[in-house]
Amino acid sequence: MEVPSSKKPKSPKRILVTGGTGLVGKAIEAESKHETGDTWIFVGSKDADLTNRSSVVELFKKHSPTHVIHLAAKVGGLYDNMANNLDFLRDNMAMNDNVLSVSHEFHVEKVISCLSTCIFPDKTTYPIDETMIHNGPPHDSNFGYSYAKRLIDITNRAYHEKYGSKFTSIIPCNVFGPHDNYKHETSHVIPGMIHRMYDLLFKENPEVPSEKKSFKVYGSGKPLRQFIYSHDLAKLIIWVVNNYESAEPIILSVDESAEISIRQVAESIAKAFDFKGELYFDTSKADGQYKKTASNKKLRSLYPEFTFTNYDDAINDSVKWFIDNYSTARK
């Protein structure tokens, strides 16, 4: 007798993670070790050029994924985006279209693509939620990246409408943690500060005590952000793989009450380094978007029991990781 569909054992998954060697990919790799029965495949830029469709086809032929977590993207901090909007637009559009079209060709059961809260309209009401992505232009500083990422949501809808595909997207707030990009020219705010604080303390006149040094924070310190620890995001992405079936995007963010200023970020990093000197703010540097407060109401309604890592503990872990792995970190 046939087993009722609700009782059928689930087939093992083959989950391909693009961008698998980066910040979020490494966190998923660590957290996926608690999963059993599925095969996880983590690939990076050395394994395939995702802007080249033939390269993507060969990648899928090699690994035959049943599920794809698409993390790979051309990403950068505020100043990198401002200088290279065209490159961010073209490279990300190419990657995203190739991954989704080849996933369809290879009958992938589910694709989860990673967006960002920075893609939301610059002029909007807060908190932002999943219904507001296309309600107006994004901030001018990163319009190339933003429009490329918005098109993933449009493409997911189109595949679902035409083929019933389970192509969906997640929208994390600002992510930080071990294995981040710490390059001065392209890093995001937390890894950038961590690297510069390390240099100030251990490379620039290390014999001078920290209380006699000053640390420069780019901008006024006033902009507000929500930050999610990479290992929390990894756990949530694994939950999405196993439980979230909608083509509509879902915000994966800490609560609104966890929003903090860039000044507070600088203070927490200084504390983690035991820095005793002065923080000063270079207001000649652009602040970017003032705030982009996201609502995680949808996530909370579907996964109310999830607990986020304490922010200060996560910062301490991130700083310790960078210090311990300085010689091999991406810098």
Side-chain angles (χ1 to χ4, degrees):
M1 184 176 68
E2 184 179 358
V3 179
S5 59
S6 61
K7 300 295 184 180
K8 287 180 180 178
K10 293 183 178 180
S11 300
K13 305 180 190 74
R14 289 184 58 81
I15 305 162
L16 177 69
V17 184
T18 71
T21 60
L23 166 66
V24 181
K26 284 292 187 181
I28 294 175
E29 184 176 12
E31 297 299 332
S32 66
K33 292 175 181 177
H34 305 298
E35 302 289 302
T36 57
D38 297 329
T39 300
W40 292 80
I41 305 144
F42 297 87
V43 297
S45 58
K46 293 180 180 179
D47 300 288
D49 175 6
L50 300 187
T51 65
N52 182 301
R53 195 175 193 280
S54 297
S55 182
V56 179
V57 169
E58 291 304 311
L59 181 71
F60 278 56
K61 282 182 179 178
K62 179 178 180 179
H63 295 294
S64 301
T66 63
H67 293 66
V68 172
I69 300 172
H70 178 37
L71 304 176
K74 180 177 177 64
V75 297
L78 171 63
Y79 306 105
D80 192 22
N81 271 277
M82 290 171 65
N84 299 290
N85 270 295
L86 178 61
D87 297 333
F88 280 92
L89 176 69
R90 297 186 72 239
D91 288 354
N92 283 304
M93 285 177 61
M95 286 187 216
N96 301 336
D97 186 58
N98 288 338
V99 168
L100 291 177
S101 66
V102 174
S103 292
H104 171 70
E105 181 180 323
F106 279 75
H107 306 289
V108 171
E109 294 176 27
K110 183 187 287 188
V111 180
I112 300 163
S113 297
C114 190
L115 311 186
S116 167
T117 52
C118 73
I119 74 173
F120 280 86
D122 180 33
K123 309 298 183 185
T124 189
T125 56
Y126 294 100
I128 50 181
D129 66 32
E130 293 86 352
T131 68
M132 300 164 68
I133 295 173
H134 306 285
N135 285 1
H139 194 271
D140 281 345
S141 64
N142 67 342
F143 71 86
Y145 176 85
S146 295
Y147 278 119
K149 286 293 190 177
R150 286 187 186 188
L151 277 172
I152 293 179
D153 178 49
I154 299 296
T155 310
N156 286 344
R157 291 190 208 174
Y159 272 108
H160 181 71
E161 181 180 289
K162 188 166 186 177
Y163 301 110
S165 306
K166 289 184 182 178
F167 293 179
T168 191
S169 54
I170 56 171
I171 310 174
C173 58
N174 296 269
V175 191
F176 72 97
H179 300 282
D180 212 332
N181 169 23
Y182 301 90
K183 295 177 182 177
H184 289 308
E185 301 81 9
T186 59
S187 61
H188 288 106
V189 59
I190 287 180
M193 280 195 199
I194 289 174
H195 190 181
R196 290 192 299 109
M197 180 69 78
Y198 180 97
D199 286 351
L200 177 66
L201 292 177
F202 303 117
K203 296 185 71 177
E204 300 170 12
N205 301 315
E207 69 282 356
V208 177
S210 70
E211 58 265 24
K212 294 186 178 181
K213 293 185 174 185
S214 296
F215 180 75
K216 179 167 66 176
V217 181
Y218 296 159
S220 68
K222 295 178 181 178
L224 302 171
R225 296 290 184 267
Q226 290 157 292
F227 293 95
I228 185 170
Y229 187 43
S230 58
H231 284 264
D232 289 346
L233 180 58
K235 293 172 186 175
L236 289 171
I237 291 173
I238 292 170
W239 171 83
V240 169
V241 169
N242 293 324
N243 298 280
Y244 188 72
E245 301 300 324
S246 174
E248 297 298 319
I250 182 169
I251 290 174
L252 304 182
S253 172
V254 297
D255 300 322
E256 295 168 48
S257 60
E259 188 175 58
I260 60 174
S261 70
I262 299 302
R263 175 184 286 274
Q264 289 171 293
V265 172
E267 291 170 348
S268 65
I269 291 172
K271 183 177 179 181
F273 272 102
D274 195 29
F275 175 68
K276 305 294 187 183
E278 173 197 13
L279 298 177
Y280 73 97
F281 296 84
D282 181 0
T283 54
S284 69
K285 299 286 189 181
D287 274 337
Q289 198 167 355
Y290 174 65
K291 66 181 295 182
K292 43 189 176 180
T293 316
S295 168
N296 65 1
K297 184 177 180 180
K298 182 175 181 178
L299 172 64
R300 286 297 193 191
S301 71
L302 297 172
Y303 195 3
E305 67 272 24
F306 186 79
T307 301
F308 290 95
T309 303
N310 176 272
Y311 168 76
D312 287 323
D313 291 342
I315 286 289
N316 288 337
D317 289 345
S318 301
V319 167
K320 184 178 186 302
W321 184 90
F322 183 71
I323 293 172
D324 291 345
N325 295 274
Y326 179 79
S327 62
T328 56
R330 286 188 292 158
K331 59 184 188 307

